[in-house]
Amino acid sequence: MSSERLIYLPLGGAGEIGMNAYVYGYGKPNAERLIVVDMGVAFPDMDGSPGVDLILPDITWLQERRDRIEAVFVTHAHEDHVGAVAHTYERLGAPIYARAFTANIARRKMAEHGHPEDAVHTVSPWPETVSAGPFQVSFLPISHSIPESSAMVIDTPEGRVIHSGDFKLDETPLVGEAFDPELWAEVSKEGVKALICDSTNVFSQHPGRSEASVGPEITKLVQSAQGMVVATTFASNVARVKTLADAGVRAGRSIVLMGRAMRRMIEASAETGVLQDFPSVVSPEEAKSIPRENLMLLVTGSQGERRAASAQLARGKYQGMEMKEGDLFLFSSKTIPGNEKGVIRIINAFSELGVDVVDDSSGLYHVSGHANRPDLERLSEIVNPQVVIPMHGEHRHLREHVKIAEQNGRTGVLAVNGMMVNLSGNKPKIAEYVETGRTYLDGTVQIGALDGVVRDRIRMALNGHVVVTLIVDEDDEPLGDPWCELKGLPETGRSKASLVDVLEADLGQWLGRADPKTMRDDDRLNEGLRRVVRQTSQDEIGKKPEVSVIVSRLS
């Protein structure tokens, strides 16, 4: 039996949707040469990660083995796949490989963080191959909701592995490459050891629809509108942005792009040649002189993001444009679970302005970029792998996908973040468990999810904060009573007196009873004063706030 092994290890994206990071390795156990597929981010929410800017995979395991990393390969330019490449580059130091459009986006990110843009290498699609240690890696085109999405064909000494990336089986995608079943069959004909496969839409029972199917419906909607039309979608869904723009032109409207991400994606698409014949656009300044009924704005903010163009239009003006009664706003997108509140807030704000809002509840104005259950089964039939390992999904998605694989006579392996799978031989097995987690980008600093920073922030948000200040003289006697400053707490409590006054009175009484040993010991003082604040607050307002005690000693 060979002493080498082939391993697969998800560090992000398996058991969740977002923050994709997958490791493949080959070699002697604990000395494997490694490649990484994707390095993405997830987005924070106010409930679980208040104030955090981005969530990154915890790459401690990889960083400790950085001398064994051959390369990072990026399947496509969505943030949950490419968003962390610049944030982790310093710690990993490995070259990054991507196709032209994705490489364009990755280089912009590297430049923003002061990293060398030439660390990102552009690769042509299959059959071009990148040698990375014991691996030969190719980018196999597949359709998705962003240009130049690719599966990774990973040839190893133990056989071929295909990592699907995000995909749908769209043979008329309008922008980007169509799904080519013959090419996929050709690539798979010599045998595929494992298919590591997208699971996002595993519960959708009907075959996915083509991007081409939404154009006529959007055109009809825009042609029937009386006032100004504003539409939002994911800026990265360049095909949809073009569909919307074409619909606007057919309805005799001038097109305005609004929002930095929207302009950046269209520019990157044009620069790399994936987008041709995009209608000419007018600037927001030029749009002011065009009648409203002849305008169509394409804006960012399909997920309710507070600072995006759609949210700013809902609050009033954005770049001199504003919406009025009788205008139409179209969400040509699906709301990602967790973003519903932000989207509903925008819909209601538009409603108050008299704007008609159309979303995709009818199914007419959006198609998913991910394969539904029949499409997943079809891809498995074409590839015919020995093993199916679901990824890119919550636990329930992965589990369902394993069931489908097994119903179709294939081996399915349920592997969530941190489970290292040994793919050697004919029976894959869990080799070991690796500690995984999340890293928060908080401003410009990366902090561990368990460092306590965000936990303290949540506690302050839930319970409020009290700062107690005490001055002690040279004889270890209090110089006057301690005083309090309150943040996030009501002014009065159960006794109807000022909460600050009640706290300061109780603190003063406690100090009056404190013995000399306590007065000499800052730790004892800190703990005693803190306990009084929490107990009094519990009696007065039914909450125990976070407490900071500052003891200043006169020397």
Side-chain angles (χ1 to χ4, degrees):
M1 185 175 157
S2 170
S3 60
E4 276 86 16
R5 66 178 181 178
L6 173 64
I7 59 168
Y8 160 74
L9 169 64
L11 295 177
E16 65 195 342
I17 292 177
M19 206 176 73
N20 294 277
Y22 307 94
V23 181
Y24 294 87
Y26 182 80
K28 291 190 183 330
N30 304 313
E32 297 93 349
R33 303 304 297 176
L34 308 171
I35 58 170
V36 184
V37 175
D38 290 335
M39 189 55 70
V41 298
F43 295 97
D45 59 69
M46 284 304 290
D47 291 340
S49 44
V52 168
D53 295 279
L54 285 174
I55 303 173
L56 317 172
D58 180 354
I59 58 162
T60 305
W61 186 90
L62 267 179
Q63 188 179 358
E64 288 168 353
R65 295 156 179 79
R66 66 175 280 163
D67 60 323
R68 288 160 44 193
I69 304 171
E70 299 285 351
V72 175
F73 296 89
V74 185
T75 58
H76 65 284
H78 277 146
E79 287 296 304
D80 60 331
H81 295 260
V82 73
V85 288
H87 295 295
T88 56
Y89 176 74
E90 209 162 36
R91 294 168 64 193
L92 300 181
I96 298 156
Y97 293 89
R99 293 185 60 195
F101 177 80
T102 307
N104 182 295
I105 300 293
R107 284 191 192 102
R108 292 174 189 228
K109 292 180 181 298
M110 295 287 277
E112 282 170 16
H113 289 82
H115 299 316
E117 292 182 50
D118 59 7
V120 180
H121 304 271
T122 301
V123 185
S124 298
W126 174 273
E128 184 171 319
T129 299
V130 177
S131 291
F135 301 101
Q136 300 291 317
V137 184
S138 300
F139 288 79
L140 182 62
I142 194 151
S143 48
H144 184 42
S145 55
I146 192 169
E148 291 191 348
S149 292
S150 301
M152 308 311 306
V153 179
I154 305 168
D155 284 322
T156 80
E158 296 212 18
R160 177 164 285 179
V161 172
I162 296 182
H163 182 103
S164 76
D166 293 3
F167 75 95
K168 62 186 292 191
L169 303 186
D170 191 343
E171 296 182 27
T172 51
L174 302 184
V175 175
E177 295 123 324
F179 174 64
D180 184 345
E182 291 174 5
L183 174 63
W184 273 73
E186 176 71 21
V187 169
S188 306
K189 73 178 182 186
E190 298 298 325
V192 173
K193 188 174 191 68
L195 172 64
I196 288 76
C197 194
D198 181 3
S199 307
T200 314
N201 283 356
V202 69
F203 291 108
S204 296
Q205 299 289 343
H206 53 84
R209 290 160 51 225
S210 170
E211 181 63 33
S213 68
V214 298
E217 296 296 339
I218 292 173
T219 299
K220 273 193 277 184
L221 179 71
V222 177
Q223 285 174 336
S224 67
Q226 301 300 308
M228 185 167 72
V229 175
V230 182
T232 186
T233 189
F234 292 100
S236 59
N237 192 343
V238 175
R240 183 67 47 76
V241 177
K242 185 174 188 307
T243 296
L244 290 163
D246 287 343
V249 169
R250 279 196 287 272
R253 293 173 181 265
S254 297
I255 307 302
V256 186
L257 295 179
M258 300 182 83
R260 194 167 65 102
M262 189 73 74
R263 291 193 303 275
R264 194 176 65 223
M265 278 291 173
I266 297 303
E267 283 168 14
S269 304
E271 280 174 21
T272 52
V274 299
L275 183 62
Q276 283 143 9
D277 307 322
F278 192 83
S280 58
V281 300
V282 298
S283 68
E285 292 73 30
E286 293 168 315
K288 289 174 196 166
S289 60
I290 297 172
R292 303 176 65 73
E293 62 274 14
N294 294 340
L295 281 176
M296 182 167 178
L297 316 185
L298 305 183
V299 303
T300 53
S302 66
Q303 300 303 303
E305 304 94 323
R306 286 178 176 273
R307 288 179 292 185
S310 57
Q312 297 204 49
L313 283 169
R315 291 196 294 267
K317 279 188 179 181
Y318 181 63
Q319 293 185 351
M321 307 297 295
E322 62 183 310
M323 299 202 70
K324 296 182 178 175
E325 188 163 351
D327 288 346
L328 174 73
F329 191 96
L330 168 64
F331 282 92
S332 182
S333 54
K334 176 186 176 185
T335 303
I336 295 170
N339 294 341
E340 295 89 350
K341 281 183 186 173
V343 171
I344 289 167
R345 189 185 302 117
I346 287 173
I347 290 173
N348 281 316
F350 280 137
S351 182
E352 288 172 18
L353 294 172
V355 173
D356 296 319
V357 178
V358 176
D359 63 17
D360 188 52
S361 51
S362 63
L364 295 176
Y365 308 115
H366 175 67
V367 292
S368 174
H370 294 273
N372 294 350
R373 177 176 175 148
D375 311 314
L376 295 172
E377 291 182 294
R378 184 181 168 207
L379 190 74
S380 276
E381 278 172 33
I382 293 169
V383 174
N384 194 25
Q386 290 177 30
V387 179
V388 174
I389 306 181
M391 50 106 187
H392 204 285
E394 297 165 4
H395 194 281
R396 63 195 177 101
H397 298 96
L398 308 187
R399 185 164 173 261
E400 183 69 13
H401 201 163
V402 165
K403 282 186 194 171
I404 293 167
E406 291 176 345
Q407 285 164 12
N408 289 321
R410 294 187 178 85
T411 301
V413 178
L414 178 51
V416 296
N417 295 341
M419 283 187 183
M420 182 190 291
V421 181
N422 182 347
L423 289 170
S424 293
N426 293 318
K427 194 166 182 199
K429 53 189 177 291
I430 304 299
E432 59 184 270
Y433 294 89
V434 168
E435 196 167 312
T436 59
R438 303 175 149 219
T439 301
Y440 294 138
L441 180 68
D442 195 49
T444 57
V445 179
Q446 291 184 29
I447 56 174
L450 302 177
D451 287 0
V453 176
V454 172
R455 184 183 61 225
D456 289 347
R457 197 174 287 164
I458 291 170
R459 282 178 174 167
M460 285 191 280
L462 292 173
N463 301 314
H465 188 221
V466 176
V467 178
V468 179
T469 305
L470 171 67
I471 300 176
V472 180
D473 67 16
E474 298 93 329
D475 301 319
D476 298 320
E477 293 292 330
L479 202 64
D481 287 333
W483 68 94
C484 299
E485 295 173 56
L486 274 54
K487 283 271 166 63
L489 292 167
E491 291 182 6
T492 57
R494 190 168 54 86
S495 65
K496 301 290 188 279
S498 161
L499 181 57
V500 170
D501 292 347
V502 175
L503 286 170
E504 289 177 350
D506 286 0
L507 289 166
Q509 285 182 15
W510 181 83
L511 266 181
R513 298 191 300 270
D515 57 39
K517 189 175 180 184
T518 298
M519 292 305 301
R520 286 193 299 271
D521 187 331
D522 281 1
D523 289 341
R524 285 190 177 204
L525 273 176
N526 195 314
E527 181 51 38
L529 294 169
R530 181 176 169 276
R531 199 166 53 241
V532 170
V533 169
R534 286 171 67 82
Q535 186 56 58
T536 299
S537 297
Q538 178 67 41
D539 293 343
E540 284 287 312
I541 61 172
K543 269 187 180 294
K544 290 183 176 178
E546 299 301 295
V547 182
S548 299
V549 177
I550 301 167
V551 178
S552 298
R553 293 186 177 273
L554 300 177
S555 53

